Amino acid sequence: MIRHWQSTKTIPPSLYLTNVEDIKQLVCTWHTPIDENETSYSTYEAPKELHAWIQQFFDFDVIVNYQIIHGQIPVHIDYGRTIYWNYIIDTGGTNIVTRFWNLEETEIIQEFECKLHEWYELDVSQKHDVSYVEGYRIGLSVFKLEPNAPTHPVY
């Protein structure tokens, strides 16, 4: 599920981007379209300096991506990873929540509001969504690619 993760420090603001258009100039590693003009979820490769700063807190190699969420993210299970760490750069509005669901998607098991400039560890092998995003939620997604994790999104 999700928990506040205090093992790492606040990222120096000089290391990360805060503007969506600047982030979109980086190498896109994933996008989920809402329609032909807009995406609800996209990731972009973090620059080497930012990656190196974050890598120092892990004892295994990690992938570091910017994550942009716009609109409602449907209930799903991630692929290619079971655990990941998320750092919030811009919450995307007020009362944005990450929710974890039971298998039938009839009951919310956990609901959590992530705070600005803090780290969270998430078990994304559980059904979850991100709700009530008003603008653009910007974060950093850090994970170890896991060969035994599902290889496609599960909705």
Side-chain angles (χ1 to χ4, degrees):
M1 307 250 224
I2 191 170
R3 70 181 178 94
H4 194 238
W5 192 55
Q6 296 184 8
S7 297
T8 58
K9 299 179 181 182
T10 301
I11 300 173
S14 61
L15 287 180
Y16 60 80
L17 300 171
T18 59
N19 181 285
V20 170
E21 295 308 317
D22 291 341
I23 295 168
K24 287 182 176 181
Q25 299 305 308
L26 301 172
V27 174
C28 182
T29 55
W30 181 265
H31 77 278
T32 304
I34 293 174
D35 60 38
E36 61 188 45
N37 299 316
E38 191 67 53
T39 58
S40 62
Y41 179 86
S42 54
T43 61
Y44 301 85
E45 191 173 303
K48 289 180 182 177
E49 185 179 12
L50 175 58
H51 186 273
W53 192 90
I54 291 171
Q55 180 63 64
Q56 71 180 317
F57 299 105
F58 295 88
D59 60 359
F60 49 85
D61 290 337
V62 295
I63 294 167
V64 180
N65 288 323
Y66 279 96
Q67 174 188 76
I68 299 174
I69 297 174
H70 182 65
Q72 175 71 32
I73 300 295
V75 176
H76 66 285
I77 294 172
D78 283 23
Y79 76 99
R81 60 191 182 184
T82 55
I83 302 293
Y84 88 98
W85 296 267
N86 199 3
Y87 183 84
I88 305 299
I89 296 170
D90 186 328
T91 59
T94 55
N95 303 314
I96 313 303
V97 293
T98 301
R99 304 180 299 187
F100 287 85
W101 295 81
N102 65 353
L103 289 176
E104 298 78 25
E105 298 176 26
T106 57
E107 181 182 343
I108 295 172
I109 299 169
Q110 183 183 19
E111 184 173 279
F112 199 87
E113 186 176 336
C114 295
K115 295 183 177 17
L116 193 63
H117 301 140
E118 297 196 17
W119 284 96
Y120 297 91
E121 181 180 288
L122 294 87
D123 178 353
V124 292
S125 68
Q126 306 295 316
K127 289 189 174 197
H128 63 285
D129 69 359
V130 179
S131 294
Y132 315 119
V133 177
E134 299 163 3
Y136 288 95
R137 178 174 174 165
I138 302 171
L140 292 167
S141 173
V142 179
F143 62 97
K144 176 181 179 180
L145 193 59
E146 299 176 36
N148 295 326
T151 57
H152 56 83
V154 179
Y155 293 97

